[in-house]
Amino acid sequence: MILETAGIHHITAFARNPQDNVNFYAGVLGLRLVKKTVNFDATEVYHLYFGDQSGNPGTVITFFPYPNYRRGEIGGGQVGITAFAVPPGSLDFWEKRLNSFGITPTKAIRFQQSYLQFCDNEGLQLEIVEREEGLNSSWSFGGIPADKAIKGLGGAVLFSVNAEKTIHVLENVLGLKKLGVDAGYARFQSPAAIGNLIDVALEDKQRGHGGAGTVHHIAWRAKDFQEHEEWHRKVTACGFAPTQILDRKYFKALYFREDGGILFEIATDPPGFARDEAPDALGQKLMLPEWFEPLRGQIEDNLPQIEVKTPDGDKG
Ligand code: ZN
């Protein structure tokens, strides 16, 4: 059986102040905070998930906001740029919106597509691109009309310390198809309508350093638990040493580091974020896995309060 990933499941990055993180991703970018939980390996730190109205696979960016973390350095062995897809005809809206929050994006063109490039409040490199394909998000916040809202991830630009090896993994392990080369980037496509265009910088990059403002890992989709076990076997057979399959509550996960230095995860589409909250109440309460419930009081006491709003205080 040939395994190929549908595309990006989520991207996870580091931040510092959790309220600033919510202000930016929910407030400025208008994504929905679909889950407020803790880092399962460090419960004094939030794990915040942002996405479309349901946090569908391919729309999700997640953060570990470590308040006193060092600033990282973007470089080889990381996702260098995270791209968000918006509906056709909305790039001017986004440029004005970013300007209104004091952000001046620069413009770039790759593969005949126009990108607005900018950084989040910690220096994480982002871009916005118009895409025909992919469903519009039905989530609307902070004065962003639903027909201009971010649909989800448009893709990512990978910075590798060994681009040739990273490309080998994309094609031969993940099953992505090469579309072409332009201006120093090779482009790969996966079958999903969102989170489906991956560019690799062809020039090997100097290794970056993890910290606030950098991506920790990129997760690729497995359609169900059975396929996930097949992915574990395939990744092992391809010569990598994946972690065991871990229960991340909203998906199952396995991780391996590819030879270009980037941490890859494979995550299951099910069960999703409505597993422990009603779809219309996602992200409102601190959700903990069963094994941390007995410690809820202590965990809550150690976390700062956060609320969904824009940097200007707009809560609607
Ligand atoms: Zn992950």
Side-chain angles (χ1 to χ4, degrees):
M1 180 186 160
I2 295 169
L3 279 182
E4 56 178 25
T5 183
I8 302 172
H9 185 285
H10 65 268
I11 287 176
T12 293
F14 291 117
R16 282 185 282 206
N17 182 293
Q19 183 63 60
D20 291 344
N21 184 244
V22 172
N23 286 355
F24 192 88
Y25 287 90
V28 177
L29 296 187
L31 298 171
R32 185 176 191 186
L33 177 64
V34 289
K35 195 61 64 182
K36 182 164 69 172
T37 182
V38 291
N39 181 341
F40 292 179
D41 303 315
T43 60
E44 72 282 9
V45 174
Y46 277 116
H47 192 185
L48 303 176
Y49 290 77
F50 303 89
D52 71 356
Q53 72 283 349
S54 322
N56 282 307
T59 74
V60 176
I61 186 164
T62 96
F63 289 89
F64 294 120
Y66 283 83
N68 299 309
Y69 205 23
R70 65 169 184 261
R71 181 83 175 253
E73 192 182 321
I74 296 172
Q78 295 176 4
V79 170
I81 312 176
T82 299
F84 292 104
V86 295
S90 53
L91 220 54
D92 288 347
F93 168 87
W94 280 98
E95 185 174 14
K96 289 194 191 91
R97 181 171 178 85
L98 292 169
N99 288 162
S100 76
F101 288 104
I103 300 161
T104 308
T106 54
K107 290 178 184 170
I109 293 179
R110 289 197 312 279
F111 298 93
Q112 293 87 49
Q113 294 180 321
S114 296
Y115 290 83
L116 289 181
Q117 298 188 321
F118 56 100
C119 291
D120 80 357
N121 54 303
E122 295 291 359
L124 191 72
Q125 185 70 54
L126 305 173
E127 60 187 9
I128 289 179
V129 60
E130 293 180 0
R131 288 279 160 73
E132 198 74 57
E133 54 182 351
L135 297 174
N136 281 6
S137 175
S138 61
W139 187 251
S140 162
F141 184 81
I144 301 169
D147 67 346
K148 302 281 195 294
I150 288 173
K151 298 176 174 194
L153 295 167
V157 180
L158 306 186
F159 286 0
S160 176
V161 299
N162 187 328
E164 199 181 319
K165 288 192 170 173
T166 298
I167 286 169
H168 183 83
V169 174
L170 293 183
E171 292 187 301
N172 296 290
V173 181
L174 298 175
L176 304 191
K177 303 285 181 288
K178 187 171 179 177
L179 291 185
V181 170
D182 179 50
Y185 297 92
R187 172 159 284 192
F188 299 85
Q189 186 173 34
S190 63
I194 200 86
N196 59 338
L197 287 176
I198 311 303
D199 295 344
V200 179
L202 290 170
E203 194 181 324
D204 295 344
K205 301 268 188 188
Q206 280 236 303
R207 197 174 286 276
H209 300 287
T214 66
V215 169
H216 181 251
H217 65 265
I218 180 169
W220 307 95
R221 296 170 63 177
K223 76 170 192 275
D224 55 32
F225 297 150
Q226 188 193 335
E227 193 190 90
H228 199 234
E229 287 176 12
E230 288 167 23
W231 276 109
H232 195 278
R233 285 191 285 276
K234 179 175 184 179
V235 169
T236 306
C238 289
F240 296 97
T243 63
Q244 62 186 38
I245 290 176
L246 299 165
D247 183 0
R248 294 311 195 194
K249 180 97 179 170
Y250 310 105
F251 46 87
K252 288 191 176 183
L254 66 87
Y255 304 82
F256 66 103
R257 197 172 292 280
E258 55 87 29
D259 293 330
I262 306 168
L263 185 59
F264 279 4
E265 174 184 347
I266 295 179
T268 57
D269 282 2
F273 297 104
R275 184 181 181 186
D276 57 359
E277 282 178 300
D280 62 357
L282 292 178
Q284 292 178 6
K285 283 173 48 182
L286 179 72
M287 301 311 295
L288 297 173
E290 312 73 79
W291 59 92
F292 286 141
E293 270 307 335
L295 302 170
R296 175 175 281 274
Q298 187 186 327
I299 290 171
E300 284 181 339
D301 286 348
N302 283 329
L303 290 167
Q305 291 284 323
I306 51 176
E307 59 176 345
V308 173
K309 62 176 186 61
T310 71
D312 304 336
D314 183 357
K315 295 177 189 171

